[in-house]
């Protein structure tokens, strides 16, 4: 270290101790001391670096002696201390001593005013300490803290990568890029090293001003570059960048980015786990910043290891989600279930929840069951539970039960499923996982133009009249499925005009009354197609309205066209079956049905009418309905249902319903407040043998 401005000859003896003290202070190797006059010029100095002689600094302004990144702020502080006398302690600046080699460093400056015995300012004492290494260590510690804070809290690969670059820029890098093996984003297992040259990497995240490439771009790593070597031997690379860097010729895209940005230092770290390659992290530093060193390489390795573990967790979750979503989609209806008297449209919004479902089921008498439900949770087990409940509803809907009865029996099944889960071994992951589900079941009758609704913990439907005005449908709320609440389910029935629209939505889409109003506003356009209304509801949702996924089912009510239905009131006597056969043949020939179907229908109607005349009570009605199938219904007021019998060879009767069951695709009994209806459904052959 050098010194200038030593003791003045002739110093009084009493000042010997003061001179010795000054000499000791100005010989400290770790501190640069500077005595400044009132013009802030250096009078005496102990230089911070041997690279610059003390005699070179004497006479210079302090901001000339130190090339500070913010000289205006330094000059302001110098004048402030000189005028006020209040010291400034441990203020950190970026800069370097004049002509000292290398980039700017972190310098801690302390300023004190020097006064004469009368208190008049003589100048300043400026102490400068190089704390660059200490600041770098502190910055690395803060960077690792930021990595732990930003990375690992999301089960999304892209969000995890975004968190990593957010933590590293600008604390540790001027530009950071995270590239991930493309298949990993879809949950596929990572490949083992060395990574093949044909395996593409997708840019999952980037931060900083390092080029025009955007997140989502894909590339294959060029050979003989730090990037390719890092995913070959799974070791990091620390590289100095410049015009003569040899590998840049093999990677022109990186060469252009480096030239434009002025990047001079690069760290490339593989994202690895158990010998498998997840991706790559590239960190750049630009002009005016110190190049990376070995200590920085250790930090990059630690950050990449933490990120790799988080990415692998997200990948495994994504894989489970893909499987569960696939199962969910396979379990949902694969067609829109269009019926003669109701139009439907649906949407399944993607999300982490795999338990949303909807259904439209054709019932006897041209009625349609409209169902929506949701099993809380995500993963394969949630999708399986949803499939179990949906299967049960399909079975119950064929029994022609009222909506509240359907939900009551569905809840019985839910209780059994919950008991099965509780009986699993304590070590099973499902043992302590509770089940929660909601469901709404509605039946629309086009002849009565009524909709009967029951719900189990599910939001009530939103209903809009044909003129766009909202209709209030007050449906009593029953307990959710799997709950311990044993309250009974109830129904609400509303008469609807033709062209009314009902919206059934899962709970995340209807969190409050404002959401209901948004749906009503979206539906208030009766002239639009149902698909457009469905899309309008989705467009009006807030961005975060369905993070876990949601389902939406719309239905527009209609009536059976008069030319597709025929109804007769028949006498209650023995001649009625013959009369009914004649009426049926005439009607079916008018519908241009084939002879085989006509003959089968004549026999079905004859047996049903005979049974009603023999065992039922008047009045007696016959109804034919032509849809995708041919439906026959015989109504009477007796509450007693006939039983299917298997007659013995010698029996003269008892074969009627057995014959009906063989000729019809489906058949059953539906009860109402004024009696019962025996119904059958027959498949109608496609014209010319088509499908």
């Amino acid at each position: 270290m050098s010194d200038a401005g030593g003791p003045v000859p002739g110093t009084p003896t009493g000042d010997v101790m003061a001179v010795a003290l000054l000499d000791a202070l100005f010989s400290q190797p770790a501190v640069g001391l500077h005595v400044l006059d009132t013009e802030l010029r250096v009078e005496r100095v102990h230089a911070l670096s041997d690279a610059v002689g003390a005699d070179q600094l004497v006479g210079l302004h302090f901001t000339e002696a130190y090339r500070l990144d913010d000289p205006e702020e330094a000059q302001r502080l110098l004048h402030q201390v000189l005028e006020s006398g209040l010291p400034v302690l441990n203020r950190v600046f970026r800069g370097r001593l004049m002509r000292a080699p290398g980039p700017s460093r972190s310098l801690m400056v302390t300023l004190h005013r020097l006064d004469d015995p009368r208190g008049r300012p003589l100048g300043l004492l400026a102490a400068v300490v190089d704390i660059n290494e200490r600041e770098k260590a502190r910055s690395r510690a803060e960077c690792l803290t930021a990595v732990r804070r930003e990375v690992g809290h999301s089960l999304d690969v892209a969000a995890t990568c975004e968190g990593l670059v957010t933590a590293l820029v600008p604390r540790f890098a001027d530009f950071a890029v995270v590239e991930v093996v493309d298949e990993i984003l879809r949950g596929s297992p990572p490949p083992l090293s060395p990574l093949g040259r044909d395996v593409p990497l997708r840019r999952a995240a980037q931060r900083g001003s390092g080029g025009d490439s955007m997140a989502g771009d894909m590339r294959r790593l060029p050979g003989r570059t730090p990037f390719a070597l890092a995913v070959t031997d799974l070791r990091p690379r620390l590289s100095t960048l410049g015009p003569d860097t040899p590998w840049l010729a093999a990677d022109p895209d990186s060469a252009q980015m480096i030239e434009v940005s002025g990047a001079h230092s690069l760290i490339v770290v593989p994202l690895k786990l158990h010998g498998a390659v997840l991706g790559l992290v590239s960190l750049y530093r630009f002009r005016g910043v110190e190049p990376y060193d070995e200590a920085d390489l250790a930090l990059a390795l630690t950050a990449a290891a933490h990120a790799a573990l988080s990415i692998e967790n997200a990948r495994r979750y994504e894989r489970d989600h893909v499987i569960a979503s696939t199962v969910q989609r396979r379990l949902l209806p694969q067609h829109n279930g269009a019926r003669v008297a109701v139009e439907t449209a649906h949407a399944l919004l993607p999300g982490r929840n795999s338990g949303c479902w909807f259904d439209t089921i054709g019932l006897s008498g041209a009625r349609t069951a409209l169902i929506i439900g949701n099993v809380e949770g995500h993963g394969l087990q949630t999708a399986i539970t949803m499939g179990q409940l949906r299967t049960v509803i399909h079975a119950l809907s064929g029994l022609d039960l009222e909506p509240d009865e359907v939900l009551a029996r569905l809840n019985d099944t839910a209780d059994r499923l919950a008991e099965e889960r509780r009986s699993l071994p304590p070590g099973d992951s499902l043992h302590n996982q509770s089940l929660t589900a909601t469901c709404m079941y509605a039946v629309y009758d086009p002849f009565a133009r009524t909709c009967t609704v029951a719900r189990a913990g599910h939001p009530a439907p939103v209903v809009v009249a044909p003129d766009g005005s909202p209709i209030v449908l007050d449906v009593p709320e029953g307990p959710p499925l799997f709950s311990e609440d044993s309250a009974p389910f109830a129904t609400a029935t509303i008469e609807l005009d033709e062209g009314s629209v009902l919206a059934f939505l899962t709970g995340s889409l209807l969190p409050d009354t404002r959401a209901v109003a948004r749906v009503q506003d979206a539906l208030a356009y009766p002239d639009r197609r149902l698909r457009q209304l469905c899309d309008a509801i989705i467009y009006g949702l807030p961005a975060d309205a369905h993070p876990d996924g949601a389902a939406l089912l719309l239905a527009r009510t209609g009536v059976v066209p008069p030319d597709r239905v025929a109804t007769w009131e028949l006498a209650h006597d023995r001649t009625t079956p013959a009369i009914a056969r004649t009426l049926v043949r005439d009607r079916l020939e008018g519908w241009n049905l084939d002879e085989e179907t006509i003959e089968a229908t004549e026999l079905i109607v004859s047996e049903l009418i005979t049974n009603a005349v023999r065992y039922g009570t008047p009045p007696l009605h016959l109804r034919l309905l032509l849809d995708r199938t041919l439906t026959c219904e015989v109504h009477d007021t007796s509450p007693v249902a006939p039983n299917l019998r298997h007659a013995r060879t010698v029996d003269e009767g008892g074969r009627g319903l057995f014959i009906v069951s063989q000729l019809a695709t489906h058949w059953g009994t539906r009860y109402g407040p004024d009696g019962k209806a025996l119904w059958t459904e027959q498949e109608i052959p496609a014209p010319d043998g088509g499908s």
Side-chain angles (χ1 to χ4, degrees):
M1 296 291 180
S2 54
D3 187 12
V8 179
T11 302
T13 305
D15 293 337
V16 171
M17 184 63 72
V19 172
L21 177 61
L22 285 174
D23 288 340
L25 288 174
F26 276 82
S27 63
Q28 291 296 316
V31 181
L33 286 179
H34 313 74
V35 175
L36 311 179
D37 61 18
T38 54
E39 299 297 323
L40 304 180
R41 299 185 179 278
V42 179
E43 286 191 349
R44 181 176 181 180
V45 61
H46 169 66
L48 194 61
S49 171
D50 289 333
V52 181
D55 56 339
Q56 296 177 289
L57 301 178
V58 174
L60 296 178
H61 192 281
F62 184 79
T63 56
E64 296 175 337
Y66 285 89
R67 305 297 188 189
L68 303 177
D69 293 351
D70 191 359
E72 291 81 5
E73 174 65 12
Q75 183 145 333
R76 186 188 65 80
L77 286 176
L78 291 168
H79 283 291
Q80 175 184 314
V81 175
L82 190 63
E83 294 172 2
S84 67
L86 299 176
V88 170
L89 306 177
N90 303 332
R91 181 65 59 90
V92 177
F93 289 91
R94 291 289 297 177
R96 58 186 175 86
L97 193 60
M98 181 189 68
R99 298 193 185 94
S104 296
R105 302 172 66 83
S106 294
L107 304 175
M108 185 172 67
V109 179
T110 297
L111 301 174
H112 293 274
R113 193 174 76 177
L114 302 176
D115 296 336
D116 65 11
R118 297 182 180 180
R120 292 176 297 185
L122 298 175
L124 297 178
L125 176 64
V128 180
V129 180
D130 188 334
I131 59 170
N132 197 62
E133 294 305 318
R134 187 173 74 188
E135 284 295 295
K136 286 167 66 175
R138 182 186 62 81
S139 178
R140 292 187 190 107
E142 289 180 353
C143 186
L144 285 178
T145 300
V147 169
R148 297 187 183 99
R149 182 178 64 250
E150 301 288 344
V151 179
H153 303 290
S154 172
L155 290 174
D156 179 83
V157 174
T160 300
C161 296
E162 188 64 38
L164 179 62
V165 297
T166 300
L168 295 177
V169 179
R171 297 180 182 89
F172 185 69
D174 294 310
F175 182 56
V177 178
V178 180
E179 297 170 287
V180 177
V181 175
D182 188 50
E183 290 297 320
I184 287 178
L185 293 170
R186 289 180 286 277
S188 299
L192 295 175
S193 67
L195 190 69
R197 293 188 60 182
D198 59 335
V199 177
L201 273 72
R202 186 177 294 275
R203 183 170 293 206
Q206 70 176 43
R207 195 174 184 87
S209 55
D212 299 329
S213 296
M214 300 298 292
D217 290 352
M218 280 206 309
R219 70 164 176 163
R220 288 173 172 80
L221 299 178
R224 303 186 307 280
T225 64
F227 313 106
L229 294 177
V231 295
T232 298
D233 58 13
L234 299 185
R235 295 181 180 276
R237 294 298 190 277
L238 175 58
S239 180
T240 300
L241 305 176
D244 299 329
T245 302
W247 58 266
L248 288 178
D251 190 357
D253 291 339
S254 296
Q256 182 181 8
M257 185 275 290
I258 290 168
E259 181 181 1
V260 171
S261 65
H264 61 78
S265 188
L266 166 68
I267 287 180
V268 179
V269 187
L271 292 168
K272 60 181 181 177
L273 195 67
H274 307 309
V277 182
L278 300 171
L280 198 65
V281 180
S282 303
L283 307 172
Y284 297 86
R285 281 185 176 173
F286 298 162
R287 299 185 187 97
V289 182
E290 287 187 71
Y292 288 117
D293 56 27
E294 292 297 326
D296 295 322
L297 194 62
L299 182 147
L301 278 169
T302 302
H306 181 77
L309 184 60
S310 300
I311 290 173
E312 174 63 9
N313 289 339
R315 182 199 68 80
R316 290 177 178 272
Y317 181 80
E318 181 65 25
R319 176 178 175 272
D320 292 343
H321 173 63
V322 168
I323 294 173
S325 297
T326 302
V327 172
Q328 179 189 23
R329 288 194 299 271
R330 294 294 185 270
L331 292 173
L332 291 177
Q334 303 302 309
H335 55 82
N336 62 9
R339 304 289 293 178
V340 68
V342 67
E343 176 192 0
T344 61
H346 64 263
L348 183 66
L349 304 183
R352 293 301 177 186
N353 180 280
S354 51
C356 299
W357 91 90
F358 56 86
D359 256 313
T360 57
I361 304 175
L363 305 178
S364 63
R367 299 172 306 141
T368 302
L370 304 167
I371 305 132
I372 193 165
N374 181 45
V375 180
E376 295 292 337
H378 53 77
L380 184 59
Q381 293 300 324
T382 299
I384 291 173
T385 302
M386 179 270 286
Q388 291 172 317
L389 295 178
R390 179 173 180 261
T391 301
V392 172
I393 282 189
H394 270 263
L396 293 174
S397 65
L399 300 178
D400 284 315
L401 302 173
E402 289 297 311
D404 56 336
E405 267 193 273
V406 171
L407 291 185
R409 298 194 184 189
L410 180 65
N411 195 46
D412 292 339
T413 301
D415 291 341
R416 286 192 290 271
L417 293 176
E419 181 58 34
E420 289 177 0
R421 179 167 289 197
R422 286 191 295 268
S423 64
L424 292 171
D428 194 299
S429 60
L430 296 178
H431 177 75
N432 293 321
Q433 289 186 12
S434 60
L435 287 166
T436 303
T438 64
C439 183
M440 181 160 55
Y441 188 94
V443 175
Y444 174 67
D445 186 338
F447 292 104
R449 289 191 291 106
T450 60
C451 185
T452 303
V453 186
R455 58 192 181 114
H458 203 89
V462 179
V463 187
V464 175
D467 61 359
S469 60
I471 298 175
V472 177
L473 178 56
D474 186 14
V475 185
E477 182 177 0
L481 305 177
F482 300 106
S483 72
E484 297 181 358
D485 190 346
S486 59
F489 298 98
T491 61
T493 301
I494 186 172
E495 186 172 337
L496 299 171
D497 292 332
E498 181 182 358
S500 299
V501 177
L502 298 98
F504 302 83
L505 304 95
T506 49
S508 62
L509 299 180
L510 293 175
D512 49 40
T513 55
R514 289 180 299 176
V516 174
R518 283 197 302 268
V519 174
Q520 290 172 338
D521 292 341
L523 296 177
Y525 299 92
D527 56 334
R528 291 184 179 179
R529 292 186 296 112
L530 208 58
R531 171 53 57 190
Q532 291 178 313
L533 296 180
C534 192
D535 293 344
I537 292 175
I538 297 173
Y539 297 152
L541 294 173
D544 57 348
H546 50 88
D548 287 335
L552 164 64
L553 175 65
L554 296 187
R556 177 176 280 137
T557 62
V559 296
V560 179
D563 61 340
R564 304 285 291 275
V565 64
T567 305
W568 300 276
E569 183 173 349
L570 303 175
H572 198 267
D573 59 45
R574 293 183 180 182
T575 62
T576 299
I579 297 172
R581 287 195 297 270
T582 302
L583 295 173
V584 167
R585 171 168 286 276
D586 181 64
R587 179 68 274 178
L588 298 188
E589 287 177 347
W591 283 339
N592 297 319
L593 298 185
D594 63 286
E595 183 62 27
E596 183 179 350
T597 301
I598 294 175
E599 291 178 357
T601 307
E602 283 183 307
L603 185 53
I604 288 173
V605 169
S606 180
E607 294 295 339
L608 293 182
I609 294 293
T610 299
N611 192 291
V613 169
R614 183 174 298 176
Y615 303 109
T617 56
L620 183 64
H621 293 87
L622 170 63
R623 183 164 67 188
L624 297 181
L625 172 64
L626 181 63
D627 191 2
R628 291 178 299 177
T629 60
L630 177 62
T631 302
C632 302
E633 295 182 344
V634 175
H635 299 254
D636 70 78
T637 56
S638 171
V640 179
N643 295 321
L644 175 64
R645 294 169 54 190
H646 296 275
R648 295 171 298 177
T649 305
V650 297
D651 289 344
E652 295 182 1
R655 295 181 176 86
L657 287 183
F658 178 77
I659 294 173
V660 168
S661 68
Q662 298 302 302
L663 295 174
T665 307
H666 304 287
W667 73 281
T669 305
R670 182 174 72 251
Y671 294 93
D674 55 354
K676 68 177 184 301
L678 268 68
W679 59 268
T680 65
E681 281 188 358
Q682 299 163 256
E683 297 293 339
I684 301 175
D688 300 326
S691 58

